[in-house]
Amino acid sequence: MTDQTPNAVRAEMGAGAAGLAPLRLAVGLIQGAALYGLYRAGADTVWPATEPRLFGPLLLVALFLPVVVLGGLGRLRTPTLLIWTVVAGTALALLGWHDVARQAAERLNEPFLSPPTLAFLAVALFIAHHLLVPADQERRPIAAFARYFDVAWKAGVQLALSIGFTGALWLLLFLGAGLFGLIGIRAFGDLLSEEWFAIPVTTLTFALAVHLTDVRDGLIRGVRSVALMLLSWLLPVIAGLTGAFLLALPFTGLEGLWNQGSATALMLVAAAALIVLINAAYQDGTPETRPPAVLRWAAMAGGVLLVPLIGVAAWGLALRVGQHGLTPDRITAAACVLVGAVHAAGYAWAAAASLRGGAWMKPLERTNLLGAVTAAGLIVALFSPVLDPARLSVMDQTARLARGDVKPADFDFAFLRFESGRVGEAALARLAASRDAETARLAKAAQVAEDQGVLRGESETPPRRPDIAAWPRGATLPEGFLDEVRVGDPRWNCERNDCLAEARDLDGDGTPEVLLATPYNLALFARDPDGVWAHEGDWPFAICRPRDNRPDPRQLMRSGQLEARDARWPDLMAGGLRLSLNSGPCGKGEPVAAAGGTPTVEVEVIEPPATNTKAR
């Protein structure tokens, strides 16, 4: 059997590192092409951007899978790398599909993935990758702890340096564009703003940085050693502060602590800082990296302090859940508490073993492996149907309502409406059909609510007066149209003359309606029987054209390219595409009849001459 010490494996893996440059650059180029293709699909609203459940997973795979390949080249055997690539890609695609599927359709916007999904899956992927690499290098299921330490901390430094290198390149490119701009040459600056250039350059630069840091293996380890040395000397600081905090709790009481909404989160962050700094002091556990006595005592103290710190955090979380039920944030916090509890138990045992004369903090090694597996497994479970926080929270909250633990007037219908995705909408629909009249009434009100603050009994977002220019110039808009409006009205977002409105009698009843042109669509307003201006619907034709060729509804209004024919609310002909008022995007779905009539006439968008296609 060959020598499998870390130094021997580094020599084995590093022997061909220089020859991996073409492969890594090819991976970077393929990633750039994939991301640019997805960007164009989103910009032009074409497949796969028209299928969010496909676009989201593809984006997740295009973002993360090339990084997995870059991190595996030269470190994993080829068969292992191929299998891991397939497994990781499949897992990313499935988790991305679930993330899009669970969100409410009306709040889906590109890139369709929720930010927590991107952040947590990146962490899970990093953990899983660096559990696999050492095991593959040593040809056994569980490698020596020194190998895990060497591979994971080196990769962390590489990742940070690669991101920094990519950012530094862009700073230099923008500096160069500024210099050329001083002498009137704008072409270079324009090139940097082109996505077909910017996206592949970014991915290629990152791939190059990964390769350069891999070739300069000794320099990376030198940077890592300096970083660990500096971090380790912060351990006595955080250990002292945590100890003082815990000693003060019996005198201050816990009531003030629970009045702070972020108490559990802050204690979990403090626990995470302790864990990281203890590991910075311990390093790989070999005699060569054994820290000074002050750091050894600080590490043992920190291991003991983790137990009450995690205990208080768990107690506070349990109180919140008992009082107010589960929410996605509390479920995520519970997962963090569980990971923290694994580390707290293991590190306390390691400290106790050290005091009994055993090897200093040796049980920490197995604890770290168990904690890493626990963290990765929980992340995958939380972002899959297994432990979907939204589903579990909705089940718990509606069960509390059914049991009478919370009255309908105090129930958080806003959570179901705005924060729990499709499962919350489905629960809200069931509550709207409840036999309890008060529950049904409040659920129906929540289904049409636009301001969650109102549902929660908070102060409503104050109304404001929109800033809308009238067309033609010099014209005035009908009385009351520019009165104050509330959130949810299309006029709410009109500021600084970015909207244009024209009064027209579209249905021939002698009373004008108002067409409101925004940068994205046309909205129709008409007076209701009480004389109040009501939003009748929209023609969202702008999203049905490529971004580079999307008509600006305001310019169409200015140039007289909207022609009303016949009577009642018209359809729009936009470049050969017929759209009905309140139809789905790009004409999909049956049009919804406007209040008080049937849409029978059309407004035709007349294409301007080829020489006058740009907005003024």
Side-chain angles (χ1 to χ4, degrees):
M1 187 172 181
T2 60
D3 180 10
Q4 290 300 315
T5 64
N7 287 335
V9 173
R10 287 200 290 270
E12 179 185 339
M13 292 296 178
L20 292 173
L23 277 175
R24 285 188 170 127
L25 292 177
V27 171
L29 184 61
I30 292 171
Q31 182 186 27
L35 290 175
Y36 175 70
L38 290 172
Y39 169 81
R40 288 307 311 171
D44 296 342
T45 318
V46 298
W47 186 93
T50 54
E51 300 293 338
R53 293 194 186 189
L54 180 62
F55 186 88
L58 287 176
L59 179 60
L60 197 61
V61 171
L63 280 174
F64 291 149
L65 194 61
V67 181
V68 171
V69 175
L70 289 173
L73 285 171
R75 297 180 180 85
L76 290 170
R77 292 173 293 168
T78 301
T80 307
L81 178 59
L82 292 175
I83 294 172
W84 172 230
T85 300
V86 172
V87 171
T90 303
L92 287 169
L94 292 175
L95 293 172
W97 181 89
H98 172 70
D99 183 55
V100 176
R102 67 185 178 84
Q103 297 181 61
E106 67 183 69
R107 276 177 281 283
L108 269 178
N109 294 301
E110 297 168 13
F112 307 123
L113 297 168
S114 58
T117 297
L118 296 172
F120 279 94
L121 289 187
V123 173
L125 204 57
F126 183 90
I127 294 172
H129 186 81
H130 295 98
L131 288 173
L132 175 66
V133 170
D136 184 67
Q137 290 177 356
E138 292 195 352
R139 316 291 196 267
R140 54 179 179 168
I142 301 178
F145 179 77
R147 181 67 49 75
Y148 287 113
F149 168 82
D150 183 67
V151 169
W153 279 88
K154 178 196 170 187
V157 173
Q158 272 190 293
L159 182 61
L161 290 177
S162 299
I163 293 173
F165 179 79
T166 306
L169 173 72
W170 274 103
L171 287 176
L172 293 177
L173 291 176
F174 283 123
L175 176 61
L179 292 175
F180 279 111
L182 293 176
I183 57 176
I185 299 177
R186 311 290 182 189
F188 187 56
D190 293 340
L191 179 65
L192 298 184
S193 65
E194 294 288 343
E195 289 81 8
W196 62 264
F197 175 82
I199 295 176
V201 163
T202 300
T203 56
L204 274 172
T205 302
F206 181 81
L208 176 62
V210 170
H211 179 72
L212 292 176
T213 53
D214 200 41
V215 172
R216 298 291 185 178
D217 188 73
L219 293 178
I220 295 301
R221 284 184 167 79
V223 173
R224 183 187 67 187
S225 297
V226 173
L228 288 172
M229 183 270 293
L230 293 174
L231 286 173
S232 66
W233 282 100
L234 295 176
L235 176 58
V237 177
I238 187 63
L241 292 173
T242 304
F245 165 75
L246 292 172
L247 287 173
L249 282 182
F251 302 97
T252 61
L254 296 177
E255 183 177 352
L257 188 64
W258 305 140
N259 290 335
Q260 306 295 325
S262 57
T264 299
L266 284 174
M267 285 185 286
L268 288 174
V269 170
L274 270 174
I275 292 169
V276 170
L277 295 180
I278 289 172
N279 279 277
Y282 187 81
Q283 297 193 32
D284 60 1
T286 59
E288 294 80 7
T289 59
R290 189 177 178 87
V294 63
L295 295 183
R296 296 200 300 272
W297 282 102
M300 290 188 288
V304 174
L305 291 171
L306 277 172
V307 175
L309 191 62
I310 293 295
V312 174
W315 185 16
L317 181 62
L319 288 176
R320 287 290 185 186
V321 172
Q323 293 168 350
H324 307 292
L326 292 176
T327 65
D329 288 344
R330 290 175 192 141
I331 292 174
T332 303
C336 294
V337 166
L338 179 57
V339 174
V342 170
H343 285 86
Y347 284 26
W349 177 260
S354 301
L355 291 173
R356 290 195 301 267
W360 177 66
M361 296 295 285
K362 190 66 175 178
L364 170 150
E365 298 179 0
R366 292 187 178 275
T367 300
N368 281 350
L369 293 180
L370 179 59
V373 172
T374 302
L378 282 175
I379 289 174
V380 172
L382 288 171
F383 290 91
S384 71
V386 177
L387 290 179
D388 182 0
R391 177 176 60 83
L392 297 178
S393 300
V394 169
M395 290 172 59
D396 181 66
Q397 294 290 349
T398 53
R400 283 165 50 84
L401 179 64
R403 292 194 304 266
D405 294 346
V406 58
K407 297 178 180 179
D410 299 325
F411 185 74
D412 191 0
F413 288 96
F415 168 70
L416 302 183
R417 174 73 172 91
F418 295 100
E419 299 175 10
S420 53
R422 293 176 184 270
V423 66
E425 291 184 339
L428 198 58
R430 291 193 297 271
L431 293 177
S434 171
R435 294 181 179 180
D436 182 83
E438 181 69 2
T439 298
R441 182 185 68 81
L442 293 172
K444 290 176 182 178
Q447 286 180 310
V448 297
E450 297 291 343
D451 192 329
Q452 56 183 311
V454 176
L455 288 179
R456 290 190 167 124
E458 302 168 358
S459 58
E460 186 176 7
T461 304
R464 66 180 176 194
R465 190 178 300 278
D467 185 3
I468 302 173
W471 186 260
R473 287 190 178 91
T476 57
L477 294 173
E479 182 181 358
F481 186 75
L482 296 179
D483 288 350
E484 290 183 334
V485 295
R486 297 190 177 276
V487 174
D489 191 296
R491 293 168 288 179
W492 170 267
N493 293 318
C494 290
E495 293 181 327
R496 296 182 298 276
N497 291 313
D498 58 358
C499 297
L500 197 65
E502 181 179 4
R504 289 194 186 187
D505 182 8
L506 291 175
D507 57 0
D509 64 353
T511 302
E513 288 74 42
V514 176
L515 284 176
L516 175 67
T518 73
Y520 311 105
N521 75 326
L522 284 170
L524 173 64
F525 288 83
R527 290 188 187 274
D528 63 16
D530 297 326
V532 177
W533 286 101
H535 177 216
E536 297 286 343
D538 303 273
W539 292 282
F541 62 87
I543 64 173
C544 303
R545 300 283 290 275
R547 178 172 292 183
D548 296 338
N549 190 32
R550 288 183 185 175
D552 187 328
R554 299 167 300 179
Q555 178 58 21
L556 295 176
M557 182 176 288
R558 291 190 186 101
S559 56
Q561 295 178 56
L562 294 175
E563 182 180 341
R565 298 177 180 175
D566 302 324
R568 209 48 187 170
W569 312 147
D571 289 355
L572 286 178
M573 293 300 298
L577 183 66
R578 186 183 184 111
L579 298 172
S580 298
L581 186 68
N582 292 323
S583 67
C586 302
K588 295 179 182 178
E590 293 297 323
V592 180
T598 57
T600 56
V601 298
E602 70 180 25
V603 171
E604 184 176 0
V605 178
I606 306 171
E607 295 291 346
T611 57
N612 188 32
T613 56
K614 293 184 178 180
R616 300 182 191 126

